[in-house]
Amino acid sequence: MHVSARTDYALRALLQLAARHPGAVTMGEVVTQQGLPRSFVETILPDLRRAGFVRVSRVGQPSYTLTRAPDQISVGSVLRAVEGPLTRVRGLPPDALSYTGAAQGLGALWVAATAVLSELVDTVTLSDLVAGHAATELARESAAKSAPP
């Protein structure tokens, strides 16, 4: 999995809004609090609005709020909205690939890796991250849930 700067910045902006939910946050606050380049935030916030994660209020200085509670927004939904499918091999989704001979098992591996990754990022919400739940803690919880009895 590759996390681009764009995705990292989008998540950081959303986490800043989640920390103040249901209150509003200005673009300047996101830039200052997260140490992000203003030019990135200027393009990311409108994209997050179009994706349905944030709304803008233009009363006074423009400010942003989440469209739903932080515990209703998974990291996976943000990743997919910003980047598309979680896993790509040579630019294609894993289930679109075909392998032959000794490499036949690769397709199933990529599909399984996508499923495991999806399980984790779809379980973690903005609220979890704002509350300080460590990713390793969440990964352990996810693994425990999927382990056979």
Side-chain angles (χ1 to χ4, degrees):
M1 174 180 167
H2 171 79
V3 178
S4 68
R6 177 176 175 69
T7 300
D8 179 56
Y9 294 169
L11 280 166
R12 289 167 62 187
L14 288 171
L15 288 167
Q16 192 63 45
L17 272 61
R20 294 269 297 277
H21 184 76
V25 178
T26 66
M27 185 181 300
E29 288 174 290
V30 172
V31 168
T32 302
Q33 293 295 314
Q34 291 301 313
L36 300 175
R38 187 170 190 86
S39 59
F40 267 90
V41 177
E42 287 173 345
T43 60
I44 288 169
L45 286 174
D47 289 347
L48 292 172
R49 183 188 57 77
R50 283 187 289 280
F53 293 109
V54 302
R55 71 175 60 89
V56 63
S57 170
R58 300 195 192 283
V59 176
Q61 185 174 3
S63 60
Y64 296 83
T65 56
L66 295 176
T67 57
R68 50 192 189 265
D71 64 352
Q72 300 289 309
I73 301 174
S74 73
V75 171
S77 66
V78 177
L79 293 174
R80 288 181 193 91
V82 175
E83 292 290 334
L86 294 177
T87 308
R88 288 192 159 300
V89 179
R90 299 185 327 265
L92 298 170
D95 57 358
L97 300 168
S98 174
Y99 294 97
T100 60
Q104 274 184 316
L106 278 177
L109 174 65
W110 302 144
V111 169
T114 300
V116 170
L117 181 58
S118 292
E119 170 77 24
L120 175 61
V121 297
D122 290 339
T123 303
V124 180
T125 66
L126 297 181
S127 183
D128 292 325
L129 294 173
V130 168
H133 293 175
T136 53
E137 192 178 302
L138 293 165
R140 271 187 246 129
E141 290 174 16
S142 179
K145 286 180 193 173
S146 62

